[in-house]
Amino acid sequence: MINIHRLTSHLQELSEIGRTNEGGVNRYSYTNEERLANELVKKYMETADLTVEYDAVGNLIGSLKGKENLPIILLGSHIDSVPNGGKYDGSLGILTAIEVLHSLKEKEIRLNHPVKVIAFKDEEGTRFGFGMIGSRAVAGTLTDEDLNRVDQQGVSIEQAIKEYGLEKYRLQSAKIENVKCYVEVHIEQGKVLENHDAAVGCVTGIAGPLWLQFTLTGLSEHAGATPMDQRQDALVGASLIIAEAEKIASEYPTAVATVGKLSVKPNGVNVIPGEVIWTMDIRDIDDDIRDEVERKITQFAEKTAAARHIHLKVNELQRVAPVPCDEGIQDVVKGSIREIGESVVSLSSGAGHDGMQFKDRFPIAMIFVRSKDGISHNPKEFSSAQDIEKAAIVLFKTVLILDAK
Ligand code: HGY
Ligand code: MN
Ligand code: MN
């Protein structure tokens, strides 16, 4: 039904762009690596007879006309990465969608609905601390203010778009109207499918990531000459807050809280840290619980800062609502999984995905592929060709069924 050799060789070829010496991938938005990756994926799209273009924020879009002028079936994922990420995260979804359309073309199956495959810009948020730029633009929710976010070199998203050779002022032109649904294939990035010995899974909903930035400002002083009871040590304060955050999140079965980035100033062996900045990624499939975890952590942070005469500032980097997957399309996915003789495992996604940006605009669904040992955001990320082939066939069947509706 699909050409798994073509799909896996494309995956391998794409993984060489931005490859790290640990075998991971560094591909950040609006960089040269990401441009090369887009150009390679553009070639795959053209070989599949898709009409290819870049939109105002640099989403790479492959379009296929339908027999009739019906609402669009959207497929896609992302090709940007986290630092030293894995080669399947995002890339697998894009290449699988292209492979399905390529196979339909080879079988001379013409769909009724038009289809668009989109490589969304900056799903991860690695460079600007603000993710899903491309899918926000397609949803029509990306604002000029969002484009003021800056990377660690102080380059704003707007500047990066300009330097990339795109015109930011056509922002609204990126919005895609008249969409029937969005379906994405993605690696699970967790252990549920593996624990159920299942190759593929049907996603029920996507947990919402809340990203906060904490800044604690104390006083840099001499490490040797300052008595322990007269310090305003920002790093000790941060350590207490971070340890408490882990305890708070652990009180809830599906909540998670992660500190992924932390910087210390002035960062000298013999200097009491005067300033510590860190990010906190808080998630839950239920946003009331996520908000409760956020409240408890920030209240503890305020108490700790006050007790140590340290100044606390908390900035919100992004707050994405959890999103349910469409029940009807889930049924189509589950039926397709059964048709290939696989057991149906339904699961929620702890990881965020572009489809969240389409909440309340059009229905979304996701098909998960088993991740070996549940590892992701790591060069060890792996999904087998057999499992990938099954997911691609499930997508192939799902597209045909949705197209017939
Ligand atoms: O952060 C996430 O959940 C996704 O990998 N962007
Ligand atoms: Mn990711
Ligand atoms: Mn991803």
Side-chain angles (χ1 to χ4, degrees):
M1 201 168 279
I2 60 110
N3 183 332
I4 188 61
H5 303 293
R6 178 168 57 202
L7 176 47
T8 46
S9 67
H10 286 178
L11 198 59
Q12 186 51 41
E13 204 177 1
L14 180 55
S15 73
E16 300 302 321
I17 302 176
R19 181 181 168 78
T20 65
N21 39 21
E22 292 148 83
V25 172
N26 274 347
R27 251 189 331 245
Y28 308 148
S29 48
Y30 307 110
T31 62
N32 206 32
E33 290 80 16
E34 194 243 14
R35 184 194 298 277
L36 291 172
N38 269 310
E39 285 303 299
L40 179 64
V41 172
K42 179 166 177 280
K43 204 182 73 187
Y44 298 152
M45 288 181 169
E46 286 161 345
T47 317
D49 267 2
L50 304 183
T51 311
V52 190
E53 59 177 327
Y54 287 101
D55 72 5
V57 294
N59 289 318
L60 175 65
I61 305 176
S63 304
L64 184 66
K65 275 200 170 56
K67 279 193 276 188
E68 297 158 50
N69 186 17
L70 292 167
I72 301 163
I73 294 175
L74 271 194
L75 307 174
S77 194
H78 62 94
I79 48 180
D80 65 299
S81 78
V82 293
N84 203 26
K87 68 181 187 184
Y88 299 85
D89 181 357
S91 304
L92 179 65
I94 278 288
L95 297 178
T96 303
I98 296 169
E99 176 51 38
V100 163
L101 298 184
H102 198 152
S103 300
L104 284 169
K105 178 192 92 144
E106 287 172 335
K107 293 171 184 346
E108 294 174 6
I109 299 173
R110 270 210 69 196
L111 297 174
N112 304 313
H113 291 75
V115 181
K116 284 185 186 293
V117 183
I118 307 181
F120 291 107
K121 213 62 175 187
D122 202 323
E123 188 277 341
E124 294 289 5
T126 302
R127 181 173 169 187
F128 299 99
F130 174 72
M132 305 185 199
I133 294 175
S135 41
R136 292 171 197 266
V138 166
T141 53
L142 189 67
T143 65
D144 285 328
E145 201 202 327
D146 292 333
L147 300 187
N148 295 334
R149 313 274 183 139
V150 294
D151 66 9
Q152 271 166 324
Q153 285 68 43
V155 177
S156 72
I157 299 174
E158 177 173 0
Q159 275 167 289
I161 289 177
K162 268 205 198 103
E163 283 161 20
Y164 204 70
L166 300 158
E167 306 97 23
K168 162 249 160 190
Y169 61 85
R170 288 175 38 242
L171 204 52
Q172 274 313 317
S173 67
K175 184 175 180 181
I176 297 181
E177 308 275 7
N178 195 23
V179 173
K180 178 187 176 72
C181 63
Y182 172 70
V183 184
E184 176 173 356
V185 168
H186 201 286
I187 51 170
E188 179 202 340
Q189 303 178 295
K191 300 176 169 58
V192 173
L193 293 179
E194 193 161 64
N195 293 343
H196 286 79
D197 192 20
V200 292
C202 178
V203 180
T204 55
I206 308 171
L210 162 62
W211 288 3
L212 300 174
Q213 178 172 284
F214 287 70
T215 304
L216 266 187
T217 312
L219 187 61
S220 300
E221 291 185 284
H222 197 293
T226 313
M228 289 309 285
D229 63 353
Q230 292 168 32
R231 296 177 172 215
Q232 291 164 267
D233 185 328
L235 186 51
V236 170
S239 315
L240 293 168
I241 295 165
I242 293 166
E244 184 66 16
E246 182 193 51
K247 251 171 65 197
I248 292 168
S250 307
E251 288 160 12
Y252 300 82
T254 51
V256 287
T258 313
V259 174
K261 291 174 80 169
L262 184 139
S263 67
V264 181
K265 270 190 187 158
N267 209 25
V269 174
N270 55 356
V271 185
I272 297 170
E275 181 190 78
V276 175
I277 300 177
W278 72 94
T279 58
M280 186 78 79
D281 173 320
I282 304 171
R283 307 189 194 203
D284 194 280
I285 193 72
D286 174 337
D287 42 0
D288 292 338
I289 292 181
R290 185 186 68 184
D291 295 349
E292 192 173 309
V293 170
E294 174 198 10
R295 201 172 41 253
K296 286 185 175 177
I297 291 172
T298 43
Q299 280 167 357
F300 180 86
E302 282 150 9
K303 229 171 64 205
T304 306
R308 293 169 166 269
H309 312 295
I310 301 173
H311 179 263
L312 168 71
K313 190 172 73 158
V314 183
N315 292 73
E316 180 178 301
L317 299 178
Q318 68 172 352
R319 184 184 294 266
V320 186
V323 180
C325 289
D326 180 78
E327 299 283 345
I329 309 178
Q330 283 189 58
D331 290 343
V332 173
V333 169
K334 288 187 261 191
S336 305
I337 293 174
R338 280 190 204 96
E339 263 185 37
I340 63 169
E342 291 294 313
S343 55
V344 173
V345 173
S346 293
L347 69 166
S348 66
S349 172
H353 298 285
D354 283 304
M356 309 179 82
Q357 296 306 325
F358 307 136
K359 178 181 166 83
D360 308 333
R361 289 213 49 230
F362 42 80
I364 70 162
M366 291 193 74
I367 300 161
F368 268 177
V369 191
R370 173 168 38 189
S371 292
K372 185 169 178 331
D373 303 328
I375 294 176
S376 181
H377 284 188
N378 180 314
K380 292 200 185 90
E381 195 176 88
F382 176 80
S383 288
S384 72
Q386 294 77 2
D387 290 354
I388 291 170
E389 184 172 21
K390 287 173 183 165
I393 294 169
V394 167
L395 181 66
F396 186 99
K397 288 174 172 290
T398 298
V399 167
L400 284 180
I401 295 167
L402 291 174
D403 184 51
K405 288 189 170 208

